[in-house]
Amino acid sequence: MAENESFNTKIIMAGADREQWYNTTQLPKIQDDYRLHLSCVRNIFDALVKRGLITPDPYKKDNKITAIVIPDTTPFNDNERSQVLGIRLSNYESVIDYVCNYMRFSCEMLTIDAIKKMIELNNAFSWNNLSLNSTRSNTRALATVLNELKNNADQLTVSLIKDNTIKTQNAISEINNVLKGLADFQRERYKLDIRKNILENSSFNKEKVYSSAQDMTNEIKRLFPSCMTKRPLSGELVGEVVAEETAPNKAELQAALLAKLKVVEESGQTKTQKIDTHAILMESLRLVGTTYDAYKVIYDKISANHEILQNGKKSFKVKFTRLLRALFGLDEPPVDYEVVLTDKKTDVKRKETIHYNEFSSGLIKRVKIYSAFAMRDTPGYNKISQQKDEAILEYLNKQITENNHLFALIIALDDYFKNNVDMADRPKIKGCSMELTTIKNILVKANQQRSDYIAYAEEAEQMKKLGI
């Protein structure tokens, strides 16, 4: 009996170590994988919407997600693809956002039922098998529109879709592997609770139960209602506990269980693997460069809105004069827009004047510069990469600061056009909210990469000072 008690103590401690490993290592990791997956899904979604291949759910903002809800997977006709796929992808993105930002990733919260829901959600679209011949409607439809996008888009967009698809496939694979392992561990947690709450209970009759499997089963069932409140009785798992304590081959079962729960430490080589801080820094800058496509769309929309607003305010004579300027290639007279900027932190409003001609030319100039280093191994990218990290970081900091200010100006100018155009022309005004969301998501990711670079660089500097 002392031998059994010793094993019980040992296995409870091993289970506690395993649970801590999940809570501190594996689950935070898959939460980050979910965040990466969400970012990739949003990038893919925005690209499909931008090219009219899907129609986003118009009621998306009204849907309040408070639990994991699996998107519809029922079949639909090809002529409904744009609308139905748009709605289902919108729903999927919203639920993944809920998982990322509102769920607690711990062994206590991620029960077997929760894990089943998460795996079912992950499989709403077969990210690792995006086949045109898929038997699953959602997957086949997504594969079809992605194929159309790749056949008709520019090289940068094709590269963006490919990169995001690969990243999301890797993320989902990692998530599913950890969740499946956790589901198996939850079975062991149930058995560990039996050991802690029943086998270690003072009312448990240790004198007679270890000699008979049936006696131990009966004793566990007797104490189960009072010691395992709100837990359903699983005859299968009770049977496993009994076998591990009384079976003729219990030594083998116990050894296998200890091995199963043992936390394998990372090798020293993995722990000391060198981080390529230069690559992290360049990735942050490259991400900033990928905003060029969204800025190009914003430039086109702002130019069109500017024309609508100016034409609505001008007399026939002025309109004719503008036409002559256009015919002879003469510059437009300067136009100023006084917009209102709102500080998000303090909610304080202030006015700023946008010199339209200067603003417009600066925007298209930014598009050209960013497009030069938005892809790896291009002349523009390699030219920057050859510079010292300090110079690259300084340039990156400047770009992020300028982008944040430009972001606020575009929002303000967007509002200005909507509020100052003639009522008859208001439906013609094109909003920039979708492109701004794309830029915001990219800048958040670029900021994270920049923070990672700074943290690694500071750590390396400290290690250098310590002579390590």
Side-chain angles (χ1 to χ4, degrees):
M1 190 174 71
E3 181 185 344
N4 293 99
E5 290 179 356
S6 174
F7 172 72
N8 203 44
T9 302
K10 194 183 295 184
I11 205 67
I12 288 173
M13 291 176 62
D17 289 343
R18 188 76 174 178
E19 182 165 339
Q20 183 182 20
W21 177 70
Y22 268 110
N23 286 338
T24 59
T25 303
Q26 296 298 89
L27 296 183
K29 183 179 179 182
I30 67 165
Q31 187 173 29
D32 287 341
D33 284 332
Y34 265 121
R35 288 171 178 152
L36 172 61
H37 175 56
L38 177 62
S39 176
C40 293
V41 168
R42 282 175 172 165
N43 290 338
I44 292 170
F45 184 88
D46 290 343
L48 292 172
V49 170
K50 192 182 300 180
R51 283 157 181 80
L53 292 170
I54 61 172
T55 304
D57 183 2
Y59 304 105
K60 179 181 177 181
K61 292 182 179 180
D62 299 330
N63 297 331
K64 303 300 180 184
I65 306 298
T66 58
I68 294 178
V69 181
I70 312 302
D72 191 359
T73 57
T74 55
F76 55 87
N77 297 325
D78 287 345
N79 59 0
E80 302 174 301
R81 182 189 302 128
S82 173
Q83 185 175 5
V84 174
L85 182 60
I87 291 173
R88 293 183 182 183
L89 269 176
S90 293
N91 293 341
Y92 180 80
E93 181 202 333
S94 297
V95 180
I96 295 293
D97 181 78
Y98 165 79
V99 170
C100 289
N101 298 305
Y102 296 97
M103 280 186 57
R104 204 172 113 222
F105 281 67
S106 70
C107 291
E108 192 67 31
M109 299 303 294
L110 298 185
T111 62
I112 290 287
D113 288 340
I115 292 169
K116 287 179 179 177
K117 277 279 188 183
M118 292 169 78
I119 292 178
E120 189 179 356
L121 171 66
N122 297 345
N123 295 334
F125 294 90
S126 300
W127 296 102
N128 287 300
N129 187 27
L130 290 172
S131 169
L132 296 173
N133 299 319
S134 175
T135 57
R136 306 178 68 184
S137 298
N138 289 352
T139 302
R140 186 172 62 254
L142 180 57
T144 300
V145 294
L146 286 176
N147 191 55
E148 290 180 17
L149 177 62
K150 291 173 184 176
N151 290 336
N152 298 288
D154 58 89
Q155 187 58 44
L156 181 63
T157 301
V158 172
S159 177
L160 177 70
I161 293 299
K162 182 180 178 181
D163 183 53
N164 280 272
T165 302
I166 292 173
K167 285 179 179 177
T168 207
Q169 288 171 345
N170 293 337
I172 286 294
S173 293
E174 179 69 26
I175 290 167
N176 283 341
N177 286 337
V178 172
L179 289 179
K180 288 172 183 175
L182 179 60
D184 191 39
F185 176 63
Q186 289 292 13
R187 289 169 54 87
E188 298 304 328
R189 283 184 82 239
Y190 180 97
K191 291 162 58 181
L192 287 166
D193 284 344
I194 291 176
R195 292 179 175 278
K196 287 186 288 185
N197 299 331
I198 299 180
L199 270 62
E200 295 284 308
N201 193 292
S202 58
S203 299
F204 185 68
N205 191 340
K206 298 178 182 178
E207 298 297 330
K208 68 172 185 177
V209 297
Y210 284 100
S211 60
S212 166
Q214 188 58 53
D215 286 345
M216 178 170 277
T217 302
N218 293 339
E219 187 68 359
I220 290 174
K221 289 183 177 180
R222 181 181 72 84
L223 294 173
F224 195 94
S226 59
C227 297
M228 299 281 285
T229 55
K230 299 182 180 179
R231 300 290 292 275
L233 177 65
S234 170
E236 178 188 357
L237 296 181
V238 168
E240 289 185 16
V241 173
V242 172
E244 290 159 2
E245 296 294 335
T246 65
N249 64 334
K250 69 176 185 179
E252 295 175 17
L253 295 175
Q254 290 176 358
L257 182 56
L258 278 171
K260 187 177 184 180
L261 293 179
K262 184 179 179 181
V263 176
V264 180
E265 295 290 341
E266 293 181 344
S267 66
Q269 183 179 2
T270 303
K271 287 183 178 179
T272 59
Q273 185 178 6
K274 187 176 180 182
I275 302 296
D276 189 347
T277 53
H278 180 77
I280 294 173
L281 181 61
M282 284 303 299
E283 178 61 12
S284 178
L285 185 62
R286 187 193 70 79
L287 284 168
V288 173
T290 62
T291 60
Y292 91 90
D293 199 22
Y295 277 130
K296 176 63 171 64
V297 176
I298 288 174
Y299 170 81
D300 293 338
K301 287 185 175 182
I302 286 177
S303 299
N305 293 343
H306 169 73
E307 288 296 317
I308 292 169
L309 186 63
Q310 293 303 309
N311 286 335
K313 291 183 175 181
K314 304 296 184 181
S315 63
F316 174 77
K317 180 179 179 181
V318 175
K319 290 180 181 178
F320 182 70
T321 305
R322 291 189 73 212
L323 177 62
L324 291 177
R325 281 200 186 93
L327 289 173
F328 291 101
L330 301 176
D331 293 336
E332 288 288 328
V335 176
D336 293 335
Y337 292 122
E338 191 175 74
V339 300
V340 178
L341 301 181
T342 303
D343 190 305
K344 290 183 178 180
K345 294 182 179 178
T346 62
D347 209 32
V348 173
K349 299 182 184 297
R350 64 180 179 84
K351 292 182 179 179
E352 184 166 332
T353 300
I354 293 178
H355 306 295
Y356 176 76
N357 291 355
E358 181 182 329
F359 177 83
S360 178
S361 60
L363 196 57
I364 200 64
K365 181 180 178 182
R366 187 174 299 271
V367 169
K368 291 178 181 177
I369 292 172
Y370 283 2
S371 65
F373 60 80
M375 293 182 67
R376 299 181 187 88
D377 297 324
T378 57
Y381 179 93
N382 292 334
K383 183 178 180 181
I384 296 175
S385 183
Q386 290 168 5
Q387 299 182 35
K388 292 183 178 180
D389 282 3
E390 292 80 2
I392 298 172
L393 179 60
E394 183 180 353
Y395 181 68
L396 172 63
N397 290 338
K398 179 184 176 184
Q399 296 310 308
I400 289 180
T401 300
E402 288 181 357
N403 272 280
N404 288 335
H405 183 59
L406 181 57
F407 191 88
L409 287 178
I410 293 171
I411 291 175
L413 190 57
D414 204 29
D415 291 338
Y416 183 92
F417 286 138
K418 292 171 184 175
N419 295 329
N420 289 276
V421 74
D422 291 341
M423 286 296 295
D425 290 330
R426 188 163 293 178
K428 301 177 184 176
I429 295 295
K430 300 176 180 179
C432 300
S433 59
M434 190 175 300
E435 289 73 30
L436 288 169
T437 299
T438 300
I439 292 171
K440 182 180 179 181
N441 290 335
I442 292 173
L443 292 180
V444 166
K445 193 173 179 183
N447 254 320
Q448 182 59 55
Q449 291 280 346
R450 179 177 65 163
S451 298
D452 289 347
Y453 166 78
I454 293 171
Y456 285 129
E458 288 178 350
E459 182 182 353
E461 185 62 28
Q462 288 296 322
M463 298 286 275
K464 185 178 179 181
K465 289 180 180 178
L466 294 171
I468 300 175

